[in-house]
Amino acid sequence: SSQGTLYNDNVFLQPGMQNITFIPRDLVGNEGDHCILPIILVDCPETIELVTDRGADFAYADLASQIRFENNIPADLVVARIQEPGDSNDFPLGTTTVSLEIAFEDVTFKPINNISRLTCTFDVTVVDKEPPSLVCAQDELVFFTIPDWDYASLGPDQFSAPESVDNSNQFVQVSLLLNDVPFTTTTNLRLGSHFITFLAEDSSGNRATCRQLVNIVDNENPRIACPSEEQ
């Protein structure tokens, strides 16, 4: 027969099993016996973003469920993770590159060039969005005024920072606010109520706060100068 025609048009196929049919056709339109080639199209994700599990420094993911086939899935399709060491589905903070192997165990299925395994590689990124724990030891603190004055002179070192624990074991920075303003130097607090706020922030920018009421109290007795008896 004379030279056949090759068709190169682009075709968009959905993930899953597809049948590609090849039909030989010469220049005058004669067609020969066709052949059918089954293929499986896999939709691999580029990146999967996960949030750490509650109270943990890792995220669990069933990666096999992230691979899309959508239709006509062979019953004997096996998806397994390729990673050294181990095959845990717990992922630490940061980015981990993962490879999944898709294996076709049906001996009657003959992929191109008899390749029965495909590899799907992508990144798993885990971020921490859980704030650190922070609990103030006391709800209220009382300080007395300086003798002969109507205020108390207090510095940040007079307040014990509460313990802060982070789920991801990150460094936690605890800072102090006085009436919602950074409290870094000795300040005169007048009679009345004020609020001290402890602010905890982990390395991922997650924040937690607790507040203490600070009452400045006058416990100094008044003094009187009695007139002399001669008056």
Side-chain angles (χ1 to χ4, degrees):
S1 63
S2 57
Q3 184 178 0
T5 301
L6 179 63
Y7 295 92
N8 288 320
D9 293 339
N10 292 327
V11 178
F12 294 96
L13 301 177
Q14 293 295 321
M17 178 174 280
Q18 312 285 343
N19 288 324
I20 304 298
T21 301
F22 294 90
I23 302 175
R25 180 180 299 152
D26 61 23
L27 294 178
V28 296
N30 299 311
E31 295 183 358
D33 294 336
H34 66 273
C35 63
I36 298 176
L37 177 67
I39 65 171
I40 291 182
L41 299 179
V42 178
D43 185 9
C44 292
E46 294 183 3
T47 300
I48 297 176
E49 183 172 300
L50 305 173
V51 176
T52 53
D53 294 351
R54 182 70 178 172
D57 60 352
F58 62 86
Y60 173 83
D62 178 11
L63 295 184
S65 64
Q66 303 292 332
I67 308 302
R68 295 197 308 122
F69 301 99
E70 292 190 358
N71 55 57
N72 302 326
I73 306 304
D76 51 11
L77 189 73
V78 178
V79 179
R81 179 175 171 188
I82 307 171
Q83 186 187 32
E84 296 295 338
D87 59 354
S88 172
N89 284 331
D90 294 338
F91 293 90
L93 280 171
T95 299
T96 303
T97 300
V98 174
S99 292
L100 294 183
E101 183 179 79
I102 300 111
F104 313 105
E105 295 186 341
D106 186 355
V107 295
T108 63
F109 177 75
K110 300 295 183 182
I112 298 177
N113 297 328
N114 287 324
I115 297 175
S116 60
R117 296 178 185 274
L118 298 175
T119 300
C120 186
T121 300
F122 51 92
D123 289 336
V124 176
T125 299
V126 178
V127 296
D128 176 20
K129 294 186 178 181
E130 184 176 342
S133 64
L134 186 71
V135 179
C136 287
Q138 297 174 269
D139 294 331
E140 182 178 355
L141 297 173
V142 176
F143 294 92
F144 298 126
T145 56
I146 297 174
D148 296 329
W149 296 96
D150 62 350
Y151 62 83
S153 185
L154 302 177
D157 58 339
Q158 292 177 259
F159 299 88
S160 299
E163 181 180 0
S164 180
V165 179
D166 186 65
N167 64 298
S168 297
N169 298 315
Q170 300 183 54
F171 172 75
V172 178
Q173 176 69 47
V174 179
S175 54
L176 191 59
L177 305 177
L178 172 61
N179 296 328
D180 298 324
V181 177
F183 185 19
T184 58
T185 60
T186 299
T187 302
N188 295 331
L189 299 183
R190 294 193 175 279
L191 283 168
S193 297
H194 307 267
F195 281 103
I196 294 292
T197 302
F198 289 97
L199 170 64
E201 182 174 358
D202 65 18
S203 300
S204 297
N206 303 305
R207 293 183 170 188
T209 60
C210 68
R211 304 187 78 184
Q212 287 182 313
L213 176 63
V214 176
N215 280 320
I216 307 301
V217 176
D218 175 15
N219 71 332
E220 186 177 352
N221 295 326
R223 295 189 299 273
I224 186 172
C226 293
S228 64
E229 294 181 0
E230 295 179 354
Q231 297 176 344

